[in-house]
Amino acid sequence: MFKAEPLVPYAKDYSTCIKEAKERIGNAPIKKTLEDISAYEVIYIMSPIYWGTYAPELETAIKDLDFSGKTIRVITTHEGSGLGSVVSDVKRLCKGANVLDDALAIRGSDVYSSKSKIENWI
Ligand SMILES: Cc1cc2nc3c(=O)[nH]c(=O)nc-3n(C[C@H](O)[C@H](O)[C@H](O)COP(=O)(O)O)c2cc1C
């Protein structure tokens, strides 16, 4: 599993964090990059919903990868937006991939009671 970690951690204070996430859209440096996904056929992309889509760090991690011929499944956590625009945004970014429309959205507060739901979805 690859984790796209922000180079500079987000503020602990929620309202500052929200502001930071908006500022990072399109420019979100990460600690480590992912360079080669050639060994994988099916790739699961997981992200909290930030501002209606994936976290900006996720875009940094995947935007330059070659997804040709890969199958992508998307899972998110959210607080009301559900999937937001994440599936269409992943389709736009990951050219050549087959991004499945069966994406799963779990409310953040339901995560710990959603193990079987996630297992069934996988
Ligand atoms: C910067 C930021 C932006 C967010 N934007 C949204 C949003 O647009 N829609 C939504 O449903 N939840 C939004 N959230 C809530 C997160 O999706 C939620 O915190 C995350 O999925 C994890 O859930 P948890 O905080 O209960 O662990 C946002 C949270 C943060 C920190």
Side-chain angles (χ1 to χ4, degrees):
M1 182 164 73
F2 174 80
K3 194 171 173 186
E5 285 188 77
L7 188 61
V8 178
Y10 281 100
K12 296 224 181 317
D13 167 65
Y14 194 66
S15 54
T16 312
C17 166
I18 294 231
K19 217 174 95 216
E20 287 174 344
K22 191 162 203 184
E23 287 162 4
R24 292 181 191 192
I25 293 171
N27 180 22
I30 53 178
K31 274 189 192 161
K32 259 195 340 193
T33 53
L34 180 60
E35 272 153 29
D36 183 12
I37 54 167
S38 57
Y40 306 100
E41 287 173 21
V42 181
I43 294 165
Y44 286 79
I45 290 184
M46 297 182 259
S47 178
I49 294 292
Y50 281 6
W51 292 103
T53 188
Y54 40 61
E57 287 71 21
L58 186 85
E59 176 156 334
T60 307
I62 66 176
K63 70 181 167 55
D64 296 323
L65 294 171
D66 178 9
F67 282 94
S68 319
K70 310 287 181 197
T71 295
I72 297 181
R73 301 187 75 201
V74 179
I75 178 167
T76 70
T77 55
H78 67 98
E79 270 317 319
S81 300
L83 290 166
S85 61
V86 75
V87 175
S88 54
D89 290 338
V90 170
K91 285 182 180 172
R92 178 179 49 79
L93 260 193
C94 303
K95 296 211 171 32
N98 176 25
V99 182
L100 302 191
D101 286 317
D102 69 348
L104 183 64
I106 308 262
R107 202 175 265 274
S109 50
D110 292 340
V111 161
Y112 292 106
S113 57
S114 300
K115 189 167 183 252
S116 61
K117 191 176 181 182
I118 296 166
E119 282 171 348
N120 289 335
W121 174 77
I122 288 172

PDB file of all heavy atoms in Angstrom, residues 1 10 25 35 40 42 48 50-51 53 59 63 70 74 86 88 94 116:
ATOM      1  N   MET A   1       0.847  -1.193   0.000  1.00  0.00           N
ATOM      2  CA  MET A   1       0.000   0.000   0.000  1.00  0.00           C
ATOM      3  C   MET A   1       0.886   1.247   0.000  1.00  0.00           C
ATOM      4  O   MET A   1       1.855   1.313   0.752  1.00  0.00           O
ATOM      5  CB  MET A   1      -0.892  -0.009   1.247  1.00  0.00           C
ATOM      6  CG  MET A   1      -1.824   1.190   1.272  1.00  0.00           C
ATOM      7  SD  MET A   1      -3.183   1.034   2.434  1.00  0.00           S
ATOM      8  CE  MET A   1      -2.320   1.243   3.970  1.00  0.00           C
ATOM      9  N   TYR A  10      -0.809  18.829   7.875  1.00  0.00           N
ATOM     10  CA  TYR A  10      -1.896  19.796   8.035  1.00  0.00           C
ATOM     11  C   TYR A  10      -1.972  20.257   9.485  1.00  0.00           C
ATOM     12  O   TYR A  10      -1.592  19.529  10.400  1.00  0.00           O
ATOM     13  CB  TYR A  10      -3.228  19.147   7.654  1.00  0.00           C
ATOM     14  CG  TYR A  10      -3.453  19.064   6.166  1.00  0.00           C
ATOM     15  CD1 TYR A  10      -3.235  17.878   5.465  1.00  0.00           C
ATOM     16  CD2 TYR A  10      -3.888  20.170   5.452  1.00  0.00           C
ATOM     17  CE1 TYR A  10      -3.438  17.802   4.092  1.00  0.00           C
ATOM     18  CE2 TYR A  10      -4.093  20.115   4.077  1.00  0.00           C
ATOM     19  CZ  TYR A  10      -3.868  18.922   3.411  1.00  0.00           C
ATOM     20  OH  TYR A  10      -4.073  18.868   2.054  1.00  0.00           O
ATOM     21  N   ILE A  25      -4.745  22.732  -3.358  1.00  0.00           N
ATOM     22  CA  ILE A  25      -5.309  22.132  -4.570  1.00  0.00           C
ATOM     23  C   ILE A  25      -4.425  22.517  -5.764  1.00  0.00           C
ATOM     24  O   ILE A  25      -4.143  23.692  -5.992  1.00  0.00           O
ATOM     25  CB  ILE A  25      -6.776  22.588  -4.782  1.00  0.00           C
ATOM     26  CG1 ILE A  25      -7.659  22.013  -3.670  1.00  0.00           C
ATOM     27  CG2 ILE A  25      -7.290  22.150  -6.158  1.00  0.00           C
ATOM     28  CD1 ILE A  25      -9.085  22.549  -3.628  1.00  0.00           C
ATOM     29  N   GLU A  35       6.533   5.710  -8.185  1.00  0.00           N
ATOM     30  CA  GLU A  35       7.032   5.846  -9.548  1.00  0.00           C
ATOM     31  C   GLU A  35       6.609   4.741 -10.498  1.00  0.00           C
ATOM     32  O   GLU A  35       6.504   4.962 -11.692  1.00  0.00           O
ATOM     33  CB  GLU A  35       8.558   5.954  -9.525  1.00  0.00           C
ATOM     34  CG  GLU A  35       8.969   7.409  -9.354  1.00  0.00           C
ATOM     35  CD  GLU A  35      10.307   7.575  -8.706  1.00  0.00           C
ATOM     36  OE1 GLU A  35      11.144   6.673  -8.866  1.00  0.00           O
ATOM     37  OE2 GLU A  35      10.509   8.608  -8.032  1.00  0.00           O
ATOM     38  N   TYR A  40       0.940  -3.915 -11.008  1.00  0.00           N
ATOM     39  CA  TYR A  40      -0.440  -4.027 -10.515  1.00  0.00           C
ATOM     40  C   TYR A  40      -1.450  -3.949 -11.648  1.00  0.00           C
ATOM     41  O   TYR A  40      -1.309  -3.141 -12.562  1.00  0.00           O
ATOM     42  CB  TYR A  40      -0.726  -2.912  -9.490  1.00  0.00           C
ATOM     43  CG  TYR A  40       0.292  -2.907  -8.382  1.00  0.00           C
ATOM     44  CD1 TYR A  40       1.357  -2.008  -8.385  1.00  0.00           C
ATOM     45  CD2 TYR A  40       0.213  -3.845  -7.351  1.00  0.00           C
ATOM     46  CE1 TYR A  40       2.312  -2.035  -7.395  1.00  0.00           C
ATOM     47  CE2 TYR A  40       1.179  -3.876  -6.354  1.00  0.00           C
ATOM     48  CZ  TYR A  40       2.227  -2.963  -6.380  1.00  0.00           C
ATOM     49  OH  TYR A  40       3.177  -3.000  -5.401  1.00  0.00           O
ATOM     50  N   VAL A  42      -5.072  -4.238 -10.756  1.00  0.00           N
ATOM     51  CA  VAL A  42      -6.214  -3.549 -10.148  1.00  0.00           C
ATOM     52  C   VAL A  42      -5.675  -2.654  -9.034  1.00  0.00           C
ATOM     53  O   VAL A  42      -4.930  -3.115  -8.166  1.00  0.00           O
ATOM     54  CB  VAL A  42      -7.227  -4.556  -9.560  1.00  0.00           C
ATOM     55  CG1 VAL A  42      -8.420  -3.816  -8.951  1.00  0.00           C
ATOM     56  CG2 VAL A  42      -7.700  -5.534 -10.630  1.00  0.00           C
ATOM     57  N   PRO A  48      -9.970  10.588   1.725  1.00  0.00           N
ATOM     58  CA  PRO A  48     -11.078  11.353   2.298  1.00  0.00           C
ATOM     59  C   PRO A  48     -11.545  12.350   1.243  1.00  0.00           C
ATOM     60  O   PRO A  48     -10.769  12.743   0.374  1.00  0.00           O
ATOM     61  CB  PRO A  48     -10.432  12.078   3.484  1.00  0.00           C
ATOM     62  CG  PRO A  48      -8.989  12.201   3.112  1.00  0.00           C
ATOM     63  CD  PRO A  48      -8.670  10.984   2.274  1.00  0.00           C
ATOM     64  N   TYR A  50     -12.091  15.887   0.297  1.00  0.00           N
ATOM     65  CA  TYR A  50     -11.717  17.257   0.669  1.00  0.00           C
ATOM     66  C   TYR A  50     -12.243  18.174  -0.428  1.00  0.00           C
ATOM     67  O   TYR A  50     -11.915  17.979  -1.602  1.00  0.00           O
ATOM     68  CB  TYR A  50     -10.191  17.411   0.741  1.00  0.00           C
ATOM     69  CG  TYR A  50      -9.520  16.885   1.994  1.00  0.00           C
ATOM     70  CD1 TYR A  50     -10.206  16.182   2.968  1.00  0.00           C
ATOM     71  CD2 TYR A  50      -8.152  17.103   2.197  1.00  0.00           C
ATOM     72  CE1 TYR A  50      -9.562  15.708   4.109  1.00  0.00           C
ATOM     73  CE2 TYR A  50      -7.507  16.633   3.337  1.00  0.00           C
ATOM     74  CZ  TYR A  50      -8.216  15.937   4.283  1.00  0.00           C
ATOM     75  OH  TYR A  50      -7.569  15.464   5.400  1.00  0.00           O
ATOM     76  N   TRP A  51     -13.000  19.147  -0.042  1.00  0.00           N
ATOM     77  CA  TRP A  51     -13.549  20.098  -1.020  1.00  0.00           C
ATOM     78  C   TRP A  51     -14.197  19.381  -2.210  1.00  0.00           C
ATOM     79  O   TRP A  51     -13.931  19.704  -3.371  1.00  0.00           O
ATOM     80  CB  TRP A  51     -12.452  21.064  -1.497  1.00  0.00           C
ATOM     81  CG  TRP A  51     -12.010  21.983  -0.397  1.00  0.00           C
ATOM     82  CD1 TRP A  51     -10.858  21.887   0.329  1.00  0.00           C
ATOM     83  CD2 TRP A  51     -12.714  23.108   0.122  1.00  0.00           C
ATOM     84  NE1 TRP A  51     -10.807  22.885   1.276  1.00  0.00           N
ATOM     85  CE2 TRP A  51     -11.937  23.649   1.169  1.00  0.00           C
ATOM     86  CE3 TRP A  51     -13.940  23.724  -0.182  1.00  0.00           C
ATOM     87  CZ2 TRP A  51     -12.334  24.765   1.901  1.00  0.00           C
ATOM     88  CZ3 TRP A  51     -14.334  24.832   0.551  1.00  0.00           C
ATOM     89  CH2 TRP A  51     -13.528  25.335   1.575  1.00  0.00           C
ATOM     90  N   THR A  53     -13.797  16.425  -3.501  1.00  0.00           N
ATOM     91  CA  THR A  53     -13.083  15.413  -4.292  1.00  0.00           C
ATOM     92  C   THR A  53     -11.960  14.783  -3.449  1.00  0.00           C
ATOM     93  O   THR A  53     -11.971  14.926  -2.222  1.00  0.00           O
ATOM     94  CB  THR A  53     -12.558  16.023  -5.622  1.00  0.00           C
ATOM     95  OG1 THR A  53     -12.043  14.951  -6.431  1.00  0.00           O
ATOM     96  CG2 THR A  53     -11.497  17.097  -5.408  1.00  0.00           C
ATOM     97  N   GLU A  59      -3.781  13.656  -5.810  1.00  0.00           N
ATOM     98  CA  GLU A  59      -3.561  14.081  -7.205  1.00  0.00           C
ATOM     99  C   GLU A  59      -2.060  14.140  -7.507  1.00  0.00           C
ATOM    100  O   GLU A  59      -1.603  13.680  -8.548  1.00  0.00           O
ATOM    101  CB  GLU A  59      -4.222  15.443  -7.463  1.00  0.00           C
ATOM    102  CG  GLU A  59      -3.923  15.950  -8.851  1.00  0.00           C
ATOM    103  CD  GLU A  59      -4.939  16.947  -9.391  1.00  0.00           C
ATOM    104  OE1 GLU A  59      -6.104  16.916  -8.971  1.00  0.00           O
ATOM    105  OE2 GLU A  59      -4.536  17.753 -10.241  1.00  0.00           O
ATOM    106  N   LYS A  63      -0.851  11.779 -10.611  1.00  0.00           N
ATOM    107  CA  LYS A  63      -1.068  12.507 -11.881  1.00  0.00           C
ATOM    108  C   LYS A  63      -0.074  12.154 -12.988  1.00  0.00           C
ATOM    109  O   LYS A  63      -0.420  12.258 -14.158  1.00  0.00           O
ATOM    110  CB  LYS A  63      -1.135  14.022 -11.649  1.00  0.00           C
ATOM    111  CG  LYS A  63       0.166  14.683 -11.261  1.00  0.00           C
ATOM    112  CD  LYS A  63      -0.095  16.172 -11.056  1.00  0.00           C
ATOM    113  CE  LYS A  63       0.995  16.920 -10.393  1.00  0.00           C
ATOM    114  NZ  LYS A  63       2.326  16.869 -10.956  1.00  0.00           N
ATOM    115  N   LYS A  70      -4.913  -0.421 -16.689  1.00  0.00           N
ATOM    116  CA  LYS A  70      -5.186  -0.749 -15.281  1.00  0.00           C
ATOM    117  C   LYS A  70      -6.679  -0.602 -14.992  1.00  0.00           C
ATOM    118  O   LYS A  70      -7.370   0.204 -15.622  1.00  0.00           O
ATOM    119  CB  LYS A  70      -4.441   0.206 -14.335  1.00  0.00           C
ATOM    120  CG  LYS A  70      -2.958   0.371 -14.617  1.00  0.00           C
ATOM    121  CD  LYS A  70      -2.190  -0.845 -14.226  1.00  0.00           C
ATOM    122  CE  LYS A  70      -0.700  -0.651 -14.483  1.00  0.00           C
ATOM    123  NZ  LYS A  70       0.020  -1.921 -14.501  1.00  0.00           N
ATOM    124  N   VAL A  74     -12.454   2.974  -6.553  1.00  0.00           N
ATOM    125  CA  VAL A  74     -12.298   4.156  -5.691  1.00  0.00           C
ATOM    126  C   VAL A  74     -13.111   3.975  -4.412  1.00  0.00           C
ATOM    127  O   VAL A  74     -14.275   3.554  -4.454  1.00  0.00           O
ATOM    128  CB  VAL A  74     -12.778   5.424  -6.435  1.00  0.00           C
ATOM    129  CG1 VAL A  74     -12.641   6.640  -5.542  1.00  0.00           C
ATOM    130  CG2 VAL A  74     -11.999   5.627  -7.728  1.00  0.00           C
ATOM    131  N   VAL A  86     -15.314  12.644  -7.181  1.00  0.00           N
ATOM    132  CA  VAL A  86     -14.056  11.899  -7.182  1.00  0.00           C
ATOM    133  C   VAL A  86     -13.933  10.919  -8.351  1.00  0.00           C
ATOM    134  O   VAL A  86     -12.864  10.797  -8.955  1.00  0.00           O
ATOM    135  CB  VAL A  86     -13.829  11.227  -5.799  1.00  0.00           C
ATOM    136  CG1 VAL A  86     -14.699  10.033  -5.586  1.00  0.00           C
ATOM    137  CG2 VAL A  86     -12.386  10.863  -5.589  1.00  0.00           C
ATOM    138  N   SER A  88     -15.279  10.996 -11.422  1.00  0.00           N
ATOM    139  CA  SER A  88     -14.965  11.664 -12.700  1.00  0.00           C
ATOM    140  C   SER A  88     -13.586  12.304 -12.648  1.00  0.00           C
ATOM    141  O   SER A  88     -12.875  12.358 -13.651  1.00  0.00           O
ATOM    142  CB  SER A  88     -16.052  12.673 -13.087  1.00  0.00           C
ATOM    143  OG  SER A  88     -16.267  13.559 -12.048  1.00  0.00           O
ATOM    144  N   CYS A  94      -6.464   9.686 -14.601  1.00  0.00           N
ATOM    145  CA  CYS A  94      -5.821   8.391 -14.881  1.00  0.00           C
ATOM    146  C   CYS A  94      -6.198   7.924 -16.280  1.00  0.00           C
ATOM    147  O   CYS A  94      -6.971   6.973 -16.452  1.00  0.00           O
ATOM    148  CB  CYS A  94      -6.235   7.373 -13.832  1.00  0.00           C
ATOM    149  SG  CYS A  94      -5.844   7.902 -12.166  1.00  0.00           S
ATOM    150  N   SER A 116     -17.451  -5.112   7.241  1.00  0.00           N
ATOM    151  CA  SER A 116     -18.056  -6.115   6.355  1.00  0.00           C
ATOM    152  C   SER A 116     -18.552  -5.463   5.064  1.00  0.00           C
ATOM    153  O   SER A 116     -18.478  -6.067   3.996  1.00  0.00           O
ATOM    154  CB  SER A 116     -19.163  -6.896   7.063  1.00  0.00           C
ATOM    155  OG  SER A 116     -20.162  -6.007   7.457  1.00  0.00           O
TER     156      SER A 116
END
